[in-house]
Amino acid sequence: MSQNPWIRKAQKGLNVIFIHGINSSEECWRNKETKSYWPDLLRNESELADIGIYIFSYRTGINTGSYSLSDIVESLREYFKLDQLIESSSVIFVCHSMGGIVARRFLVNQHSNLIEIGLNKIGLFLVASPSLGSEYANMLSLVSSVIGHTQASALKFSENNQWLNDLDKDFMNLKTGKKLQIKGKELIEDLPLFGKSFPLPFLGKKIVKPFSGAKYFGDSIKVPASDHITIATPADSEAMQNRLLVLFIKEFIKEFKPLAKDDLQFSKSDVDKNDIRYSSIREAEEPISLGKSSFRYLKNGFIQYNQGNGWRDIIWNPEESPSQMRVRHMGGVISQDNTFLLVVIGYDERILYRFGNDLDNWRNEYRDGKWKSLSLNGSQILAHEIINIVSQNNLISIEIELIGRKKIRFSQYAPDSKKFFIDI
């Protein structure tokens, strides 16, 4: 990519990344008649003035030889670092044709790294992108066998295309596993390329058929009077493709909005007072004393309690192995009526909390369901460390460092309130 790939840099962390398809370039987004350029149409949307717009381009064409899809994916990975895309709070990929395969393989390969840095909210806006290959690529594969066009070979529509079949399975597992929060939309072409009467048979067929271009997300849309090329070139801002993209971005922002006040809450508990006497945060094997009960977690992650008769393991779930609850960080606070709040970060990076007292039997925790997982808008919050737990004037504040090193603080308003608010 020789020219500046940025149309505009983000103001609030969301970047939209355009990725073209095979035998194409960044010009695939330009309408030949009106000269409209899809990334520019998006830039002109006043309601989306804060989003970043980035164009990823890569080497493709009849003479690319052994430059493979894997090479393209590795290039995208490196440009994420070089152009600071890795600092995004979330990203939306707008992908034409093979660009969708590039994006999906990138997500499959890099999902662990993305989760670790907190970049776990992903949008996929797929424009005539084949999930299972293309008959056009079947034709190109005849050429590729002679000149070594490895990109076309990887796109060949065949039950024996192991590369695409593996990607399809891996992406479905990633999507259903929900470690990455993936929201998607699929647009499919309406017409054959150049019409049915064109002399070359493959050009009288649709390049990407509906069963291949509408596989991963519900409510796919066939764009009227579009073929495989024109579907990526909206004539103006009122074109269906552009309006669908703008709506998709707005819905994405609404669904994955930044943390805000009153978004976060604990489940109902029996706590009536939060006049905290002290709070504690401990490393492994350093006990926390809450009333007459003490808690600690060992270096192997097992959590234990002591109510005056020695240390005993807390049994978390007998159906899992090991059965003890395993944590990597712990903090606690206690009120004047000896009700206390214990907060832990598990090995799976979830934040778990438990209200209790000295009379509770902490031995078999799986039975009473008193441990709750902290979530936001139905999604798990993943954390790296409990930084601080403090109280002042009946207000509990717990500061957490999220995966990706971003810090948040959530607090409780009043002694009888179950609502918590976020203070970034």
Side-chain angles (χ1 to χ4, degrees):
M1 298 194 306
S2 56
Q3 61 185 20
N4 182 11
W6 287 102
I7 299 294
R8 181 179 66 209
K9 293 193 175 182
Q11 300 298 315
K12 292 187 177 180
L14 169 60
N15 284 304
V16 177
I17 303 171
F18 284 79
I19 307 179
H20 63 76
I22 191 172
N23 294 336
S24 186
S25 71
E26 62 272 12
E27 286 297 304
C28 83
W29 310 110
R30 192 179 303 279
N31 187 287
K32 292 183 178 180
E33 295 181 2
T34 66
K35 308 302 180 185
S36 293
Y37 193 53
W38 201 350
D40 285 339
L41 292 178
L42 187 59
R43 176 175 57 182
N44 294 334
E45 292 289 334
S46 58
E47 294 184 54
L48 300 176
D50 291 334
I51 68 171
I53 304 171
Y54 180 93
I55 301 174
F56 174 68
S57 185
Y58 55 89
R59 184 177 173 225
T60 184
I62 204 69
N63 63 343
T64 51
S66 62
Y67 193 77
S68 67
L69 272 165
S70 296
D71 293 324
I72 298 168
V73 172
E74 290 176 5
S75 176
L76 178 58
R77 178 197 64 201
E78 294 307 309
Y79 275 109
F80 250 70
K81 301 174 186 176
L82 292 171
D83 292 334
Q84 291 80 51
L85 289 166
I86 203 168
E87 298 178 5
S88 308
S89 63
S90 52
V91 295
I92 294 174
F93 294 96
V94 180
C95 307
H96 179 231
S97 191
M98 191 178 77
I101 293 175
V102 172
R104 288 190 289 117
R105 174 48 70 184
F106 170 79
L107 293 175
V108 168
N109 289 359
Q110 298 298 315
H111 72 274
S112 295
N113 293 333
L114 296 176
I115 292 170
E116 183 177 353
I117 65 174
L119 182 49
N120 65 337
K121 298 175 178 63
I122 307 295
L124 276 178
F125 191 84
L126 302 177
V127 182
S129 180
S131 59
L132 301 173
S134 164
E135 290 189 5
Y136 170 59
N138 288 5
M139 187 281 301
L140 288 180
S141 68
L142 298 176
V143 179
S144 71
S145 64
V146 177
I147 65 174
H149 194 313
T150 58
Q151 295 172 20
S153 296
L155 287 176
K156 185 178 179 181
F157 178 73
S158 168
E159 292 182 358
N160 298 322
N161 189 333
Q162 196 61 47
W163 196 93
L164 270 186
N165 291 338
D166 287 346
L167 173 58
D168 178 60
K169 180 181 67 175
D170 291 344
F171 180 74
M172 287 299 296
N173 289 338
L174 179 64
K175 178 175 175 288
T176 56
K178 297 183 179 180
K179 290 184 178 180
L180 286 181
Q181 300 176 55
I182 302 175
K183 178 180 177 66
K185 187 74 174 178
E186 292 167 302
L187 273 55
I188 55 178
E189 60 209 61
D190 181 29
L191 301 174
L193 195 61
F194 299 120
K196 294 182 179 179
S197 62
F198 199 80
L200 295 178
F202 79 91
L203 293 178
K205 299 180 179 180
K206 295 178 183 178
I207 301 299
V208 177
K209 294 186 176 181
F211 69 87
S212 182
K215 186 176 190 295
Y216 298 114
F217 308 101
D219 299 325
S220 61
I221 296 293
K222 181 181 290 185
V223 178
S226 67
D227 60 33
H228 191 69
I229 294 175
T230 61
I231 195 172
T233 61
D236 52 43
S237 61
E238 293 302 311
M240 186 179 192
Q241 304 97 303
N242 187 64
R243 293 178 64 189
L244 287 170
L245 176 58
V246 170
L247 178 61
F248 178 81
I249 296 172
K250 290 179 178 178
E251 290 178 344
F252 182 92
I253 293 172
K254 183 177 180 180
E255 182 172 344
F256 298 127
K257 63 183 179 179
L259 301 177
K261 289 185 177 182
D262 294 325
D263 279 339
L264 190 66
Q265 58 181 339
F266 280 142
S267 300
K268 182 178 180 180
S269 72
D270 296 327
V271 176
D272 295 322
K273 296 181 180 180
N274 287 311
D275 299 320
I276 307 303
R277 293 184 296 191
Y278 59 84
S279 62
S280 302
I281 297 175
R282 291 291 185 267
E283 301 298 331
E285 300 184 354
E286 296 182 21
I288 295 176
S289 295
L290 300 175
K292 296 179 181 179
S293 300
S294 297
F295 301 87
R296 70 180 182 183
Y297 70 100
L298 308 179
K299 290 182 178 180
N300 60 9
F302 295 161
I303 188 171
Q304 297 182 325
Y305 73 105
N306 187 343
Q307 292 177 318
N309 53 356
W311 291 102
R312 306 181 70 186
D313 292 333
I314 291 180
I315 304 300
W316 184 240
N317 187 345
E319 296 178 359
E320 296 180 359
S321 180
S323 61
Q324 289 93 337
M325 177 180 174
R326 303 184 71 186
V327 305
R328 52 191 280 181
H329 212 212
M330 178 190 298
V333 291
I334 187 168
S335 65
Q336 288 184 344
D337 63 358
N338 288 326
T339 298
F340 45 83
L341 169 67
L342 196 63
V343 182
V344 301
I345 298 177
Y347 265 33
D348 57 2
E349 298 167 340
R350 291 183 302 158
I351 307 172
L352 303 172
Y353 64 93
R354 161 78 147 91
F355 288 103
N357 56 53
D358 288 325
L359 300 178
D360 282 353
N361 176 11
W362 292 80
R363 175 68 174 168
N364 294 315
E365 286 296 276
Y366 69 95
R367 290 180 178 172
D368 58 21
K370 289 184 178 180
W371 283 95
K372 306 296 182 183
S373 177
L374 200 60
S375 62
L376 175 63
N377 296 331
S379 300
Q380 296 288 344
I381 296 177
L382 303 182
H384 173 73
E385 183 180 2
I386 303 169
I387 300 173
N388 201 11
I389 304 180
V390 298
S391 66
Q392 185 176 9
N393 299 326
N394 293 331
L395 183 71
I396 300 175
S397 293
I398 307 174
E399 189 173 5
I400 299 290
E401 184 176 279
L402 301 180
I403 300 301
R405 308 300 181 182
K406 184 176 182 179
K407 298 178 182 179
I408 65 170
R409 184 168 59 249
F410 53 94
S411 307
Q412 188 174 30
Y413 276 117
D416 58 350
S417 174
K418 312 307 175 191
K419 284 279 189 177
F420 282 72
F421 67 86
I422 294 292
D423 184 8
I424 303 285

